[in-house]
Amino acid sequence: MLDKIKQIGEEFSEAIQKVTDSKELEEIRLKYLSRKGIFPQLFEDFKALPKEEKPAVGQLLNQVKNQTQNLFDEIKTKVELAGSHSDSYIDLTLPGRSKQLGSKHLLIQSMNEIKKIFIGLGFSVYEGPELESDYNNFEALNFPPDHPARDMQDTFFINDDFLLRTHTSPVQIRLMKNTKPPIRAIMPGKVYRNEAISAKSYCLFHQVEGLYIDTDVTFAELKGTLVSFVKRYFGDDVKYRFRASFFPFTEPSAELDIWWQPKDKPGQWMEILGCGMVDPNVLENVGIDPEKYVGYAFGMGVERSTLRKYKINDIRNFFDNDKRFLEQF
Ligand code: PHE
């Protein structure tokens, strides 16, 4: 009997160490400690022993039973605590989960910066639709019918009369048609061209157009305005030049280049905008008297100058929406 008690005690302590949840704990309680369990049975067996064996057996049985009960209580507390941790315990010392705030896309930031500079120079902001008529995009702007830009290859036509605007200049037409001079506004927006996508060109990009119409506007004013713009945008030490050019809707026309000096490569001139005095034909097309009014216009690509300013080498970065790129700005 003594050996049997010892053995049961050992079995019990081995089994209870393995318990991980309250269900297993209950199984052990039923097996050893409940009314029909092993320990009550041992006490029954004890009663039937001959008198002389009782003292030794009784002592051992009580000792093992007490150890068993203590061990059981200890494990029970542990299991209960662990259980309460997993379903309802809140650790108030854990750091909170912060919400991530989005930021403005780099192109929007650039557009806003350009807008701010021109607003400071007295321009207001005007917008037009991306889906335009062939008339506003080309014809009113003095493009001849056979101009290469009017080719299906270069422009996304919707049908014979409508297209995705290829530049922001049609917004000039809209503004001039419904406003009496003086007019001084910039017109930012998206434009589309059917170009092969590469590091340098994309089928969609952004332009900011500018228009100033009054009775006494001069080419010198145009130059002055654009020079103060490039100085504010690229810094006072920017090197620039005006170069004669051609646009159907301006005469004379020019392009403005800035000197671009990459770190370990030879420097080069980079065109950042087109400009010129609004062609009298265009004024006539929108019902403004070219004998009385003159004006200048300019248009710049936002991607180009942003690429340069932030030393980015692939235009596709702007449109891939890769957070690792966007989060840097
Ligand atoms: N619309 C021209 C372009 O997309 C730019 C421009 C605008 C040139 C206004 C002169 C005047 O290239």
Side-chain angles (χ1 to χ4, degrees):
M1 179 100 191
L2 287 171
D3 288 344
K4 192 178 170 191
I5 294 168
K6 272 188 201 154
Q7 201 197 329
I8 288 172
E10 279 162 17
E11 253 177 50
F12 173 87
S13 72
E14 212 174 285
I16 199 140
Q17 300 295 349
K18 290 187 190 143
V19 162
T20 55
D21 60 27
S22 52
K23 197 174 144 251
E24 288 169 8
L25 191 72
E26 180 60 6
E27 277 165 18
I28 287 194
R29 192 189 68 80
L30 287 173
K31 182 171 172 191
Y32 291 92
L33 302 171
S34 69
R35 262 204 287 150
K36 288 184 181 156
I38 292 172
F39 277 100
Q41 186 58 51
L42 285 175
F43 280 96
E44 287 306 311
D45 296 349
F46 166 79
K47 280 184 198 158
L49 283 179
K51 236 187 179 167
E52 57 286 6
E53 286 184 31
K54 275 190 175 169
V57 174
Q59 201 190 2
L60 182 69
L61 187 56
N62 274 325
Q63 192 193 331
V64 172
K65 167 73 181 22
N66 286 341
Q67 279 170 0
T68 302
Q69 189 64 49
N70 288 343
L71 199 55
F72 180 85
D73 291 343
E74 193 186 305
I75 300 287
K76 187 177 174 212
T77 319
K78 271 194 196 163
V79 167
E80 278 170 357
L81 251 165
S84 69
H85 268 254
S86 64
D87 5 294
S88 62
Y89 180 78
I90 299 170
D91 185 350
L92 296 173
T93 65
L94 282 176
R97 256 183 238 143
S98 60
K99 282 206 178 109
Q100 280 209 327
L101 271 185
S103 62
K104 289 204 170 95
H105 193 283
L106 179 57
L107 286 175
I108 299 294
Q109 293 180 35
S110 275
M111 297 259 272
N112 288 346
E113 203 182 336
I114 295 170
K115 279 190 211 170
K116 218 166 127 188
I117 295 173
F118 282 106
I119 288 170
L121 293 170
F123 287 76
S124 53
V125 180
Y126 189 76
E127 285 182 14
E130 290 164 31
L131 180 65
E132 257 301 357
S133 62
D134 178 274
Y135 179 81
N136 285 345
N137 194 83
F138 293 127
E139 203 164 324
L141 286 161
N142 208 30
F143 278 79
D146 56 350
H147 192 282
R150 296 182 85 158
D151 199 297
M152 299 283 270
Q153 235 88 70
D154 296 313
T155 299
F156 293 113
F157 278 91
I158 304 296
N159 57 29
D160 284 347
D161 299 323
F162 289 94
L163 44 79
L164 293 177
R165 66 181 178 195
T166 60
H167 53 174
T168 40
S169 303
V171 191
Q172 289 185 31
I173 299 296
R174 289 174 174 270
L175 185 58
M176 288 190 285
K177 273 200 274 193
N178 64 25
T179 319
K180 262 185 74 187
I183 298 169
R184 184 153 51 175
I186 55 160
M187 293 143 269
K190 291 190 181 78
V191 304
Y192 301 84
R193 288 186 197 172
N194 193 3
E195 296 202 38
I197 290 170
S198 71
K200 287 193 173 151
S201 61
Y202 204 75
C203 54
L204 144 77
F205 60 97
H206 296 75
Q207 284 190 335
V208 177
E209 188 89 4
L211 178 70
Y212 181 28
I213 309 276
D214 208 341
T215 49
D216 51 0
V217 180
T218 65
F219 197 84
E221 273 181 277
L222 169 60
K223 285 178 76 177
T225 304
L226 294 177
V227 167
S228 56
F229 165 71
V230 288
K231 286 192 171 169
R232 284 192 208 180
Y233 191 73
F234 290 100
D236 271 336
D237 52 352
V238 64
K239 212 168 117 189
Y240 60 87
R241 71 173 183 197
F242 284 88
R243 186 168 37 77
S245 185
F246 174 81
F247 298 101
F249 37 94
T250 48
E251 181 60 35
S253 304
E255 279 173 309
L256 175 56
D257 299 337
I258 61 160
W259 182 254
W260 181 247
Q261 182 66 67
K263 252 197 197 140
D264 316 307
K265 284 186 204 156
Q268 60 184 55
W269 287 108
M270 185 192 63
E271 176 216 318
I272 60 157
L273 59 82
C275 62
M277 302 306 288
V278 179
D279 194 291
N281 287 342
V282 174
L283 295 177
E284 233 161 64
N285 287 340
V286 295
I288 291 179
D289 182 0
E291 297 296 329
K292 192 171 166 201
Y293 290 104
V294 274
Y296 68 62
F298 57 85
M300 66 186 79
V302 178
E303 277 75 357
R304 276 210 175 183
S305 40
T306 309
L307 286 171
R308 292 298 174 243
K309 192 169 169 176
Y310 295 92
K311 303 189 166 63
I312 300 159
N313 52 21
D314 192 324
I315 194 171
R316 289 168 292 195
N317 283 321
F318 292 134
F319 304 101
D320 286 346
N321 278 338
D322 186 332
K323 267 176 76 186
R324 289 167 301 178
F325 170 77
L326 296 174
E327 277 170 355
Q328 297 174 70
F329 307 101

